[in-house]
Amino acid sequence: MKKTILALFLLMLAGVAFCENGMEVKIDNYSITVPAGWMAQRTDSSALFILYSPLEENDDFQENGNLSIEQLPSKYSVKGYLEASREYIKTIYSNFNLIETKDNYQIIAGEINGTKVQQIQFVFMKGNVANVLTFTSNPENFARYLDTFKKIQKSFKY
């Protein structure tokens, strides 16, 4: 019962429409479609919203995603932004490891506050604004979620 009430509350915080491919979340000028069972929460932090995977039995980490919007002092290329962000991330992650980098994303791993994580970060530039869509998993489950993360990213509109 508590989970149902929480789910309804979270849905009220974001504009949500259910579709055959899952749930379309619309917040401000942004929209993204998440698979059935995922939840979205609008935030008042640096992340506009947070996406949560369904809870799994005996899982100690709930996979998630978020959209951060960063107003930059000048224009950056996506490559330049990814390079700068890696330098910052190295200061807050221990055991930082760059696994892969492509035109608009990077896959990284490390530990934050003693928790091992693996992330894929997609970057979309619009003028001086960086839209950063980050998905996080524990390293053991990352490969299993990677296709889902990429599918969600492809639905992102801004």
Side-chain angles (χ1 to χ4, degrees), residues 13-140:
L13 294 176
V16 175
F18 293 95
C19 57
E20 67 182 60
N21 296 332
M23 177 178 66
E24 183 180 17
V25 179
K26 293 181 179 182
I27 298 175
D28 297 337
N29 295 325
Y30 302 91
S31 72
I32 196 164
T33 301
V34 296
W38 282 63
M39 299 215 325
Q41 178 182 3
R42 183 183 182 122
T43 70
D44 291 327
S45 67
S46 62
L48 181 62
F49 57 77
I50 301 173
L51 308 172
Y52 298 99
S53 70
L55 292 171
E56 296 178 324
E57 195 171 320
N58 300 322
D59 193 2
D60 61 351
F61 190 93
Q62 186 174 18
E63 284 66 28
N64 61 78
N66 68 71
L67 174 64
S68 294
I69 303 162
E70 187 174 353
Q71 187 72 40
L72 304 171
S74 61
K75 287 187 177 182
Y76 277 73
S77 66
V78 171
K79 181 179 179 182
Y81 182 87
L82 287 169
E83 289 171 357
S85 73
R86 279 194 297 273
E87 293 307 309
Y88 172 72
I89 292 168
K90 287 177 185 178
T91 68
I92 56 174
Y93 281 38
S94 57
N95 302 317
F96 176 84
N97 183 23
L98 174 63
I99 296 169
E100 180 181 334
T101 185
K102 296 284 183 180
D103 291 339
N104 74 327
Y105 73 86
Q106 62 187 0
I107 298 176
I108 58 175
E111 288 182 41
I112 187 162
N113 299 326
T115 301
K116 292 181 182 180
V117 296
Q118 193 164 340
Q119 296 179 311
I120 185 167
Q121 294 182 313
F122 298 94
V123 175
F124 308 90
M125 301 300 297
K126 189 173 187 178
N128 291 18
V129 177
N131 296 289
V132 184
L133 194 55
T134 303
F135 294 95
T136 307
S137 177
N138 59 14
E140 295 80 25

